[in-house]
């Protein structure tokens, strides 16, 4: 099932590239697990660059194919359409939209909250000083991203509703361009785009997620794949956990590795990584409690087609 009435353009090229790929469930050799990721998928990027997952999964007869997406929503759409087997981390809002479209997905892991790793930005010369002053303004962000929920929560705290602003649904790249040329009054975005805008465009933070949005990121698999190959997911989970600890313990080395892959200065990457927890843990009913609050907020703003039970999703339990 496709995600109705949601932006699809960013996914079309990637889905076309995937169409001829070998799905793991097809049983052909070599068996290929299709992994989707986005630019903010730090731990998956490290594992890809180091070749760790290929080495760990080779004894299971598994190879990998990698597929980049512009943001989390088209990534989960591809997962829902069975064009991917595993999704690297997406913001907590994204699964809610997928659930509203009837997707059958399973949480494999989550990162502990990183509320300062996303923020509402204005240009350095902007007269805007508070979120309340966004009333009537044009605000850019990626639809269904964590930034979308941050904006809703910040507006509510300021006594405004989503209807009080003019939304501009933009990919991070398009958002940066619109922000710099003044086509939008504010831009809501996450790291590493956030850090890049602060350093390169001298952007000013109007509000981050502190006290507003936890910004928990989730790793997901199709329920079909989670049920068929828990052994593969156990390996991925273990390597994500280990890599998260390495990135935090070796910030300069991690930044040097990621900088050319992301096309950013190492100092920007290190700044972005400092704001992410990278503490990988199992997704449990207790750990995903905020998902219902997020779902209810989007439904209240008439941005979801139906009410969502945030706990109605598979929860993979890693085995040590």
């Amino acid at each position: 099932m496709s995600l109705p009435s949601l932006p699809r353009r960013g996914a079309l090229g990637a889905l076309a590239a995937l169409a001829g790929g070998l799905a793991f469930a097809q049983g052909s050799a070599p068996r290929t697990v299709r992994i989707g990721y986005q630019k903010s998928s730090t731990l998956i990027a490290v594992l890809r660059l180091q070749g760790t997952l290929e080495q760990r999964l080779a004894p299971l007869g598994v190879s990998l194919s990698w597929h980049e997406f512009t943001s989390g929503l088209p990534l989960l759409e591809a997962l829902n359409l069975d064009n991917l087997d595993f999704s690297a981390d997406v913001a907590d809002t994204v699964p809610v939209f997928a659930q509203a479209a009837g997707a059958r997905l399973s949480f494999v892991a989550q990162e502990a909250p990183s509320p300062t790793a996303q923020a509402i930005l204005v240009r350095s010369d902007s007269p805007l000083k508070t979120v309340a002053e966004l009333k009537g303004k044009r605000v850019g962000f990626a639809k269904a991203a964590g930034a979308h929920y941050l904006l809703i929560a910040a507006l509510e705290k300021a006594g405004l509703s989503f209807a009080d602003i003019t939304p501009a649904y933009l990919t991070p790249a398009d958002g940066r361009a619109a922000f710099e040329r003044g086509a939008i009054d504010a831009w809501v975005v996450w790291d590493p785009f956030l850090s890049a805008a602060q350093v390169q465009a001298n952007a000013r933070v109007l509000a981050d997620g502190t006290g507003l949005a936890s910004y928990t990121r989730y790793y997901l698999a199709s329920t079909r794949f989670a049920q068929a190959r828990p052994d593969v997911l156990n390996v991925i989970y273990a390597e994500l956990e280990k890599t998260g600890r390495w990135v935090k313990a070796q910030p300069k080395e991690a930044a040097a590795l990621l900088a050319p892959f992301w096309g950013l200065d190492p100092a920007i990457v290190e700044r972005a990584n400092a704001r992410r927890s990278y503490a990988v843990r199992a997704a449990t009913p207790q750990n995903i409690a905020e998902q219902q609050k997020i779902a209810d907020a989007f439904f209240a703003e008439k941005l979801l087609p139906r009410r969502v039970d945030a706990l109605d999703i598979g929860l993979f339990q890693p085995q040590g």
Side-chain angles (χ1 to χ4, degrees):
M1 181 185 298
S2 158
L3 296 179
S5 72
L6 297 178
R8 298 175 56 89
R9 184 178 65 180
L12 293 180
L15 292 178
L18 292 170
L22 293 173
F24 190 92
Q26 291 176 326
S28 55
R31 293 174 176 178
T32 302
V33 176
R34 301 158 298 171
I35 296 180
Y37 65 97
Q38 52 183 318
K39 191 170 185 177
S40 54
S41 300
T42 308
L43 303 187
I44 283 293
V46 170
L47 289 170
R48 182 183 181 186
L49 291 168
Q50 294 179 332
T52 306
L53 284 182
E54 284 89 348
Q55 296 169 15
R56 287 292 314 279
L57 291 173
L60 298 179
V62 172
S63 61
L64 303 176
S65 64
W66 304 91
H67 308 277
E68 184 174 3
F69 291 77
T70 56
S71 61
L73 187 58
L75 205 169
L76 286 201
E77 182 179 43
L79 193 67
N80 187 29
L81 291 171
D82 200 31
N83 287 306
L84 292 174
D85 302 300
F86 179 82
S87 164
D89 50 314
V90 297
D92 37 22
T93 55
V94 185
V96 166
F97 277 77
Q99 285 178 270
R104 302 308 301 171
L105 305 173
S106 293
F107 285 148
V108 176
Q110 67 173 197
E111 290 179 12
S114 304
T116 62
Q118 56 178 358
I120 302 171
L121 298 177
V122 294
R123 290 178 300 281
S124 59
D125 60 352
S126 171
L128 302 177
K129 303 297 182 183
T130 67
V131 173
E133 294 174 276
L134 290 176
K135 185 174 183 177
K137 304 300 184 182
R138 185 172 175 82
V139 183
F141 56 92
K143 190 169 187 177
H148 196 165
Y149 176 64
L150 170 59
L151 177 60
I152 289 174
L155 290 172
E156 181 182 10
K157 184 178 179 180
L160 303 177
S161 73
F162 192 70
D164 287 320
I165 59 103
T166 300
Y169 298 122
L170 300 168
T171 66
D174 290 340
R176 172 71 181 265
F179 181 74
E180 291 192 346
R181 70 172 182 268
I184 52 178
D185 299 291
W187 182 34
V188 198
V189 75
W190 59 95
D191 272 318
F193 308 104
L194 167 59
S195 291
Q198 287 181 284
V199 174
Q200 297 170 340
N202 199 27
R204 174 165 54 85
V205 171
L206 201 62
D208 63 24
T210 303
L212 295 171
S214 295
Y215 191 49
T216 300
R217 295 180 68 91
Y218 289 94
Y219 299 81
L220 299 98
S222 68
T223 297
R224 171 199 61 77
F225 185 77
Q227 293 172 344
R229 292 309 299 260
D231 55 339
V232 172
L233 293 183
N234 273 324
V235 171
I236 294 175
Y237 179 91
E239 292 305 320
L240 286 171
E241 193 177 38
K242 185 187 305 181
T243 303
R245 292 194 299 268
W246 178 80
V247 170
K248 298 304 284 187
Q250 305 293 334
K252 293 192 180 301
E253 188 175 347
L257 176 69
L258 289 163
F261 183 69
W262 284 350
L264 294 172
D265 185 271
I268 294 176
V269 177
E270 188 172 353
R271 178 176 181 152
N273 286 348
R275 288 193 283 227
R276 287 274 295 275
S277 75
Y278 297 128
V280 175
R281 61 190 187 183
T284 67
Q286 295 75 24
N287 286 345
I288 67 172
E290 191 182 25
Q291 291 298 101
Q292 192 62 55
K293 180 181 178 183
I294 293 170
D296 292 345
F298 277 108
F299 183 73
E301 293 287 357
K302 298 180 173 57
L303 296 170
L304 285 181
R306 64 181 179 87
R307 189 179 296 278
V308 167
D309 179 356
L311 290 179
D312 184 23
I313 192 167
L315 299 177
F316 175 77
Q317 294 303 306
Q319 302 298 312

